Amino acid sequence: MEVFPIGIIHSPFKVLEDMPIQPTGAAGISGTVEVDASFCEGLKDLDGFSHIILLYQFHRSQGYALQVIPFMDTTSRGLFATRAPKRPNPIGLSIVELERVDGNCLHISNVDILDGTPLLDIKPYVPQFDIHQVTRSGWLDRSENNVTTHKSDSRFT
Amino acid sequence: MEVFPIGIIHSPFKVLEDMPIQPTGAAGISGTVEVDASFCEGLKDLDGFSHIILLYQFHRSQGYALQVIPFMDTTSRGLFATRAPKRPNPIGLSIVELERVDGNCLHISNVDILDGTPLLDIKPYVPQFDIHQVTRSGWLDRSENNVTTHKSDSRFT
């Protein structure tokens, strides 16, 4: 299947190094999503949601390995047990806060996305669909406390 | 960007009609994800997570409209304020419970996905990244209580 950009995500992050590795580590960082004008009609009602799911292309990531050492760990992990950007299908997922909608421009915060990233889809974040009580969170059980301070480096460029 | 199946999702749902419309409405429904053997190494460590995010192709949905009447509503809504399957990039997202991993086969429950759906990506569901306190959930604020009983129909075929 061919997927194509429906817009562009803008953020303060111009290079992959030193980015927050998840929105949780990007509190207060603002950005915008510039949706192609031809899709503007599809944004109706979106302003009713405080959080949205962005799917986008990890456009700077080439290739992949099936085991990686995640930013928050020192041990090699199976790729699909990580959120690393170099994947067979390099599709990124971030849940960001939607501040306001201005025409075809979404003002968002808690942005952990590289400036210029091609947007693939927008979905509303719905607690009843998207909040789940987990009983296990794997290797992150002991390392997730660091997500707010961990930054990316060049390993996934 | 070209994306390609890395596996196939199997479920009891052979036709689009009468499916649950979200995993919340599919409690107890079991399925499997058959990951292509060539990606098996990437599944290491995944069994540590109780919930996983599946990205997949809405392979039975052709075309899209920028306004739709969602299953849970009677009013036309902007497409991107809904989870409707007919989208410019028809990528689906479901958070399912991971029961166990058996080689390249994932046994999952709370499955709201059509049998034979092409899998695009697997990501671990991580509370610190994926659970957010929302203040608004738009048109769903008044209708989300119905998700456990609502079923799909043919409108998005």
Side-chain angles (χ1 to χ4, degrees), chain A:
Chain A
M1 171 175 69
E2 182 76 19
V3 297
F4 63 98
I6 63 166
I8 299 288
I9 301 166
H10 299 288
S11 80
F13 305 110
K14 311 298 180 191
V15 294
L16 283 173
E17 289 77 14
D18 298 322
M19 282 180 52
I21 56 173
Q22 283 288 333
T24 318
I29 303 290
S30 294
T32 56
V33 181
E34 188 186 347
V35 179
D36 284 0
S38 59
F39 297 112
C40 197
E41 184 188 345
L43 299 176
K44 179 175 167 283
D45 303 304
L46 194 64
D47 60 357
F49 294 86
S50 63
H51 291 72
I52 57 177
I53 301 170
L54 300 178
L55 297 183
Y56 51 87
Q57 185 182 351
F58 285 125
H59 65 304
R60 292 284 303 280
S61 292
Q62 304 290 325
Y64 63 90
L66 289 175
Q67 294 203 30
V68 297
I69 299 177
F71 290 131
M72 293 165 62
D73 205 352
T74 54
T75 304
S76 183
R77 304 293 179 183
L79 175 63
F80 299 115
T82 79
R83 304 282 276 255
K86 295 175 76 163
R87 318 179 74 83
N89 292 307
I91 301 171
L93 183 169
S94 290
I95 299 157
V96 298
E97 194 164 348
L98 179 61
E99 304 284 358
R100 64 192 167 89
V101 179
D102 184 10
N104 65 329
C105 183
L106 313 182
H107 295 263
I108 57 176
S109 58
N110 309 344
V111 181
D112 65 331
I113 305 168
L114 190 69
D115 186 52
T117 290
L119 175 72
L120 298 177
D121 198 12
I122 303 167
K123 299 180 194 290
Y125 180 79
V126 181
Q128 200 174 351
F129 305 163
D130 301 314
I131 294 183
H132 297 265
Q133 295 303 316
V134 312
T135 52
R136 289 167 288 134
S137 56
W139 59 269
L140 279 152
D141 273 343
R142 57 174 178 73
S143 61
E144 66 182 338
N145 292 334
N146 300 322
V147 69
T148 52
T149 51
H150 262 262
K151 301 294 180 190
S152 69
D153 54 37
S154 62
R155 78 183 75 173
F156 294 126
T157 316

Side-chain angles (χ1 to χ4, degrees), chain B residues 15-22 57-87 90 114 139 150-157:
Chain B
V15 294
L16 283 172
E17 289 77 14
D18 298 323
M19 281 180 51
I21 56 173
Q22 284 289 335
Q57 184 183 352
F58 285 125
H59 65 304
R60 292 285 302 281
S61 292
Q62 304 290 324
Y64 63 91
L66 289 175
Q67 294 203 30
V68 296
I69 299 177
F71 290 129
M72 292 165 62
D73 205 351
T74 54
T75 304
S76 183
R77 305 293 180 185
L79 176 63
F80 299 117
T82 79
R83 304 282 276 255
K86 294 174 77 163
R87 317 179 75 82
L114 191 68
W139 60 269
H150 261 263
K151 301 294 180 189
S152 69
D153 54 35
S154 62
R155 78 184 73 175
F156 295 126
T157 317

